Amino acid sequence: MRVLILGGDGYLGWPTALRFSARGHEVAVVDNFSRRRWHREHGTDSLTPIRELDERIDAWREISGSEIRRYVGAVEDGAFLDEVVAETRPEAVVHYGEQPSAPYSMMSRERAVETQHTNVIGTLNLLFALRDHVPECHLVKLGTMGEYGTPDIDIEEGFIEIEHKGRRDTLPFPKLPGSLYHCSKVHDSTNLHFACRIWGLRATDLNQGVVYGIDTEETARDERLITRFDYDEVFGTVLNRFCVQAVIGHPLTVYGSGGQTRGFLNIRDTLQCVELAVENPAERGEFRVFNQFTEQFSVAGLAELVKAAGEHLGYPVEVQHVENPRVELEDHYYNATHTKLLDLGLEPTLLGEELVESMIHAIERHKERVIESSIDPKTRWSPGAPVKL
Amino acid sequence: MRVLILGGDGYLGWPTALRFSARGHEVAVVDNFSRRRWHREHGTDSLTPIRELDERIDAWREISGSEIRRYVGAVEDGAFLDEVVAETRPEAVVHYGEQPSAPYSMMSRERAVETQHTNVIGTLNLLFALRDHVPECHLVKLGTMGEYGTPDIDIEEGFIEIEHKGRRDTLPFPKLPGSLYHCSKVHDSTNLHFACRIWGLRATDLNQGVVYGIDTEETARDERLITRFDYDEVFGTVLNRFCVQAVIGHPLTVYGSGGQTRGFLNIRDTLQCVELAVENPAERGEFRVFNQFTEQFSVAGLAELVKAAGEHLGYPVEVQHVENPRVELEDHYYNATHTKLLDLGLEPTLLGEELVESMIHAIERHKERVIESSIDPKTRWSPGAPVKL
């Protein structure tokens, strides 16, 4: 199969490219290295010493004998993306090519506009390119569980049947995004659904939970293939950050009470899910939504797990509740359906102390690279007085 | 009150500026004349011979003794908009400053991107400017009934109480926008709701129906104050177009069967509604949605009404069903709640043969300006084979 991966230099995009290439597919990646640029601008960096895209691709060729084609450019550049799609004629596109950080989107007007422009216009350009060149192509788009927020009812997979005043319809599940980044993902979903309904495209929106982990089967084959791993307040996600904090002796920073509950999954399961989606494409005209996570945890619960694992390895671990820089409920109902990927055959890698210990070991190898000043939260959701929800 | 009107040179923006000025408010308008530029690019024009903004403002000063301040620039330009808000310190902003045409947004990738960029980024810039300079200001934002599409249940005003698996919550009403323009309005609503929830802003989203009519109390006071009136396939709305077609002897072009049912309102009622919203502001942190229309009609029903009125005035009127250039249901359930503005005191101007006749008379004065080639639909929603819903 011809698979095009947007954001193919990223945390998940690069391992995804390797996975499809390892399976014998013809893989091309698009990236404009924004993620590397954003880190440089903030004085932060990946924990892992990632190589330049060209070096990665060369190493993969050497190891596997397979070629990954690269296209350097921005998805916001419609003419560029149109050319890439016309030239590669993908049968599946996996779209990770977005600004992925909630705090980044909340830093300033400029960053918010950059986020929504990059994400919304990039995806819109992609939809037109697919319509015009490869309308049969299956688009696998990364969304986020954060699109739903924390409603007081069970979260379904994209759609919900509503009975209202004696009538009934199945409609898009209402969204309560928690940052301007999350809003941009909601916008994308709306545009995707539209393109499937009106143009007959086929798309799977993967509403992914919070990803943790470093290694995948392919990245572990050579140190030059390692993927990025972020732990800073802007691009780091909670479990990855906690593990780094445990290793360097920094208290685990729980935002507020830590009652915030979210869906989580291992990076290896991200690859499994994306593979399953690609292997089982949506129908023409179908807009399909999968809730892509394997387990629910509260932030405080994760801190306890990392504390236990860290202490088991001899690290003294302190859990510190800091003022929540975000505006979000810290005590809420949360129950999200996630059966569609299981139905397709997903075999979850469940999180336990052993897995956390293996992450800690992986982090130990690079602990001298940690920039400690980048960890504590600085980006506030509300620049004025704290907002009470 | 200090009222800032974005899109103050437009069909509704200009009469709104006059209305607030006539009521003694301190009015400033922002416009970058995109609408005039888009018409020039398409070789189309307003039926009414509108004056340049400066001439309009001069005429209004001469007639009323009141000053309307003008700021020429684009809402997409965040620094410009920030300055305008900082300088005018509005107590209410009425935001019409968007690309308002569904067909325009469906013409090409470039037009779609322009639409979503202008609308989404413009509104996002506005939200930041309000947050940073006038967080107490009430934002009255023009949305559209087209955000909802045609679900098979009753449409509520912005929110719906959902009972699901034994739990209950009131959540944003699910949206099924029918064009990339309509999608942009859905994106705006998501961003607005977010800004109210997280930053404590106050906003009213006016999900407006299809507007018809030419004159308002103020524009009728002098021919130099007349507002624009579009009838072309891109910017003209259905009833205005039918009336022009009746006058020039062009068949009324009903798209498909004409069973499409929508909410409609008179331009005079738009002004009433906006006034009511401004006079009765939302609370801090409240995101309020009003469905702003007064009556529901099917397209075929409107054609019959115009035919009857036209024939009564001696025009031979033919109704022609043309292939629907849009992808939309032509036979569907439609029942939309619209009580909130009535509760605030809206007195609807109901549509009848007499009102259509007065529109026809107003059109007759400018009939020599009609560019007939601009009327028939050319912009197709789906460039390939027709999509069956």
Side-chain angles (χ1 to χ4, degrees):
Chain A
M1 237 173 141
R2 292 183 302 277
V3 182
L4 178 65
I5 295 164
L6 309 185
D9 186 48
Y11 173 51
L12 302 174
W14 172 244
T16 302
L18 293 184
R19 169 61 53 90
F20 281 102
S21 183
R23 292 278 194 270
H25 299 295
E26 209 176 294
V27 175
V29 297
V30 170
D31 215 298
N32 68 338
F33 310 122
S34 312
R35 184 67 164 274
R36 296 179 188 246
R37 175 172 53 82
W38 291 323
H39 276 275
R40 207 168 298 124
E41 285 171 13
H42 289 108
T44 54
D45 200 359
S46 165
L47 174 80
T48 47
I50 54 171
R51 306 299 169 102
E52 293 300 324
L53 180 58
D54 280 342
E55 294 175 66
R56 294 173 145 183
I57 288 175
D58 288 346
W60 179 245
R61 188 191 308 107
E62 187 189 312
I63 291 158
S64 71
S66 298
E67 189 63 49
I68 292 175
R69 282 160 82 188
R70 76 199 260 291
Y71 293 86
V72 175
V75 292
E76 308 93 281
D77 178 348
F80 161 76
L81 193 61
D82 187 82
E83 251 185 64
V84 170
V85 170
E87 193 174 309
T88 56
R89 301 195 68 76
E91 289 154 284
V93 172
V94 184
H95 180 15
Y96 293 104
E98 302 208 331
Q99 193 296 99
S101 159
Y104 186 92
S105 75
M106 298 304 292
M107 283 181 169
S108 64
R109 185 190 74 224
E110 289 78 1
R111 302 291 193 194
V113 165
E114 183 186 9
T115 300
Q116 294 212 347
H117 180 82
T118 294
N119 296 4
V120 177
I121 302 304
T123 298
L124 195 53
N125 283 332
L126 177 61
L127 293 170
F128 273 93
L130 296 178
R131 182 196 78 170
D132 292 343
H133 301 294
V134 283
E136 288 288 342
C137 177
H138 177 213
L139 170 56
V140 176
K141 163 72 171 56
L142 272 289
T144 158
M145 285 301 293
E147 294 183 33
Y148 300 115
T150 55
D152 215 18
I153 58 174
D154 281 18
I155 294 169
E156 300 301 328
E157 302 196 68
F159 293 88
I160 181 171
E161 190 182 43
I162 298 176
E163 194 182 338
H164 182 56
K165 295 181 176 172
R167 300 182 62 89
R168 191 182 283 276
D169 201 358
T170 298
L171 294 168
F173 196 94
K175 304 285 178 77
L176 293 170
S179 76
L180 289 166
Y181 151 75
H182 290 102
C183 288
S184 78
K185 293 284 192 175
V186 173
H187 307 340
D188 280 343
S189 297
T190 301
N191 283 343
L192 248 68
H193 188 196
F194 175 83
C196 293
R197 282 185 291 133
I198 305 302
W199 295 336
L201 298 188
R202 53 172 108 220
T204 302
D205 204 0
L206 297 175
N207 281 347
Q208 188 168 243
V210 185
V211 184
Y212 60 84
I214 301 187
D215 293 326
T216 70
E217 204 178 306
E218 291 78 19
T219 65
R221 287 172 66 179
D222 188 287
E223 65 173 12
R224 292 169 295 171
L225 299 179
I226 199 164
T227 195
R228 65 175 313 118
F229 184 90
D230 296 316
Y231 57 90
D232 61 284
E233 65 119 9
V234 179
F235 291 101
T237 50
V238 60
L239 182 54
N240 289 352
R241 192 181 72 235
F242 283 169
C243 290
V244 168
Q245 289 174 324
V247 169
I248 64 166
H250 187 292
L252 312 190
T253 44
V254 171
Y255 296 174
S257 74
Q260 305 93 311
T261 300
R262 302 288 186 268
F264 287 81
L265 77 165
N266 191 291
I267 187 171
R268 291 168 184 257
D269 287 352
T270 293
L271 300 199
Q272 249 198 93
C273 292
V274 170
E275 260 194 293
L276 286 168
V278 168
E279 285 165 5
N280 301 276
E283 300 293 323
R284 280 299 297 266
E286 186 187 6
F287 173 65
R288 194 173 62 167
V289 182
F290 295 164
N291 291 347
Q292 178 165 310
F293 70 95
T294 56
E295 296 171 279
Q296 293 186 179
F297 295 100
S298 73
V299 170
L302 286 179
E304 284 313 309
L305 182 66
V306 172
K307 183 179 164 66
E311 287 176 346
H312 191 236
L313 296 178
Y315 290 102
V317 180
E318 191 199 328
V319 175
Q320 189 180 26
H321 290 263
V322 300
E323 193 196 328
N324 195 341
R326 306 185 174 204
V327 178
E328 61 186 1
L329 293 174
E330 294 174 8
D331 179 23
H332 58 88
Y333 180 76
Y334 199 79
N335 191 34
T337 303
H338 55 115
T339 57
K340 291 190 186 178
L341 282 159
L342 294 169
D343 291 346
L344 289 179
L346 171 65
E347 293 175 16
T349 309
L350 297 184
L351 183 63
E353 219 179 289
E354 207 175 334
L355 209 155
V356 174
E357 287 175 23
S358 79
M359 277 177 69
I360 288 177
H361 286 311
I363 289 164
E364 282 168 344
R365 295 175 50 213
H366 308 291
K367 62 184 281 192
E368 80 292 344
R369 289 176 50 90
V370 174
I371 302 164
E372 197 171 345
S373 61
S374 74
I375 299 178
D376 285 340
K378 289 179 218 48
T379 306
R380 297 188 55 192
W381 258 230
S382 184
V387 171
K388 269 276 155 272
L389 284 183
Chain B
M1 232 171 145
R2 293 183 303 277
V3 182
L4 178 65
I5 295 164
L6 309 185
D9 187 49
Y11 173 50
L12 302 174
W14 172 243
T16 301
L18 293 182
R19 169 61 53 90
F20 281 101
S21 183
R23 292 278 195 268
H25 299 295
E26 210 175 293
V27 175
V29 297
V30 170
D31 215 296
N32 69 337
F33 310 123
S34 311
R35 185 67 165 275
R36 294 180 189 244
R37 176 172 52 83
W38 291 323
H39 276 276
R40 208 168 298 123
E41 285 170 13
H42 289 109
T44 55
D45 200 358
S46 166
L47 175 80
T48 48
I50 53 170
R51 305 300 169 99
E52 294 298 325
L53 181 58
D54 280 342
E55 294 177 65
R56 294 173 145 185
I57 287 174
D58 289 346
W60 179 246
R61 188 191 307 107
E62 185 189 313
I63 290 158
S64 70
S66 298
E67 190 64 48
I68 292 175
R69 282 161 83 186
R70 76 200 260 292
Y71 293 87
V72 175
V75 293
E76 306 94 282
D77 177 349
F80 161 77
L81 194 61
D82 186 82
E83 251 185 64
V84 170
V85 170
E87 192 173 310
T88 56
R89 302 196 65 77
E91 290 154 285
V93 172
V94 184
H95 181 15
Y96 293 105
E98 302 208 330
Q99 193 296 100
S101 158
Y104 187 92
S105 74
M106 299 303 293
M107 283 179 169
S108 64
R109 184 190 76 223
E110 289 79 1
R111 302 292 194 194
V113 166
E114 182 186 10
T115 300
Q116 295 212 347
H117 180 81
T118 294
N119 296 4
V120 177
I121 303 303
T123 298
L124 195 53
N125 283 332
L126 178 60
L127 293 170
F128 273 92
L130 296 178
R131 183 195 78 168
D132 292 343
H133 300 295
V134 283
E136 288 289 342
C137 176
H138 177 211
L139 170 56
V140 176
K141 163 72 170 54
L142 272 289
T144 159
M145 285 300 293
E147 294 183 33
Y148 300 115
T150 55
D152 215 19
I153 58 173
D154 281 17
I155 294 169
E156 301 300 328
E157 301 196 68
F159 293 87
I160 182 170
E161 190 183 41
I162 299 176
E163 195 184 336
H164 181 58
K165 296 182 176 170
R167 300 182 62 88
R168 192 181 282 275
D169 200 359
T170 299
L171 294 167
F173 196 95
K175 305 286 180 73
L176 294 169
S179 76
L180 288 167
Y181 151 74
H182 290 102
C183 288
S184 78
K185 293 284 192 175
V186 173
H187 306 341
D188 280 342
S189 297
T190 300
N191 284 343
L192 249 68
H193 188 198
F194 174 82
C196 293
R197 282 186 289 132
I198 306 300
W199 296 336
L201 297 188
R202 52 172 108 222
T204 303
D205 204 0
L206 297 174
N207 281 347
Q208 187 167 244
V210 185
V211 184
Y212 60 85
I214 300 185
D215 293 327
T216 69
E217 206 178 304
E218 292 77 19
T219 65
R221 287 171 66 180
D222 188 286
E223 65 173 13
R224 291 169 297 172
L225 299 179
I226 200 164
T227 195
R228 66 176 312 120
F229 184 91
D230 296 315
Y231 57 90
D232 61 284
E233 64 120 7
V234 179
F235 292 101
T237 49
V238 59
L239 182 54
N240 289 352
R241 190 180 74 233
F242 283 169
C243 290
V244 168
Q245 290 175 321
V247 169
I248 65 165
H250 187 292
L252 312 189
T253 43
V254 171
Y255 296 174
S257 74
Q260 305 93 314
T261 299
R262 301 288 186 269
F264 288 80
L265 79 164
N266 192 293
I267 186 171
R268 292 168 183 257
D269 288 351
T270 293
L271 300 199
Q272 252 198 91
C273 292
V274 170
E275 260 194 291
L276 287 167
V278 168
E279 284 165 5
N280 301 275
E283 301 295 323
R284 281 298 297 267
E286 186 187 6
F287 173 66
R288 193 171 64 167
V289 182
F290 295 164
N291 290 347
Q292 177 165 311
F293 70 95
T294 56
E295 296 172 280
Q296 292 186 179
F297 296 101
S298 73
V299 170
L302 285 180
E304 284 313 309
L305 182 66
V306 173
K307 181 178 164 72
E311 287 176 348
H312 191 238
L313 295 177
Y315 291 103
V317 180
E318 192 199 326
V319 175
Q320 192 180 25
H321 291 261
V322 299
E323 191 196 332
N324 195 342
R326 305 185 176 205
V327 178
E328 61 186 1
L329 293 173
E330 294 174 7
D331 180 21
H332 58 88
Y333 180 75
Y334 199 78
N335 190 34
T337 304
H338 56 113
T339 58
K340 291 192 185 176
L341 281 159
L342 294 168
D343 291 346
L344 290 179
L346 171 66
E347 294 175 14
T349 309
L350 297 183
L351 184 64
E353 217 179 293
E354 209 175 330
L355 208 155
V356 174
E357 286 175 22
S358 79
M359 279 178 67
I360 288 177
H361 286 311
I363 289 164
E364 282 167 343
R365 296 173 49 213
H366 308 291
K367 63 183 278 192
E368 79 292 340
R369 289 176 49 90
V370 174
I371 301 163
E372 197 170 343
S373 62
S374 73
I375 299 177
D376 286 342
K378 287 177 218 52
T379 307
R380 298 187 57 192
W381 258 230
S382 183
V387 172
K388 268 280 155 266
L389 286 183

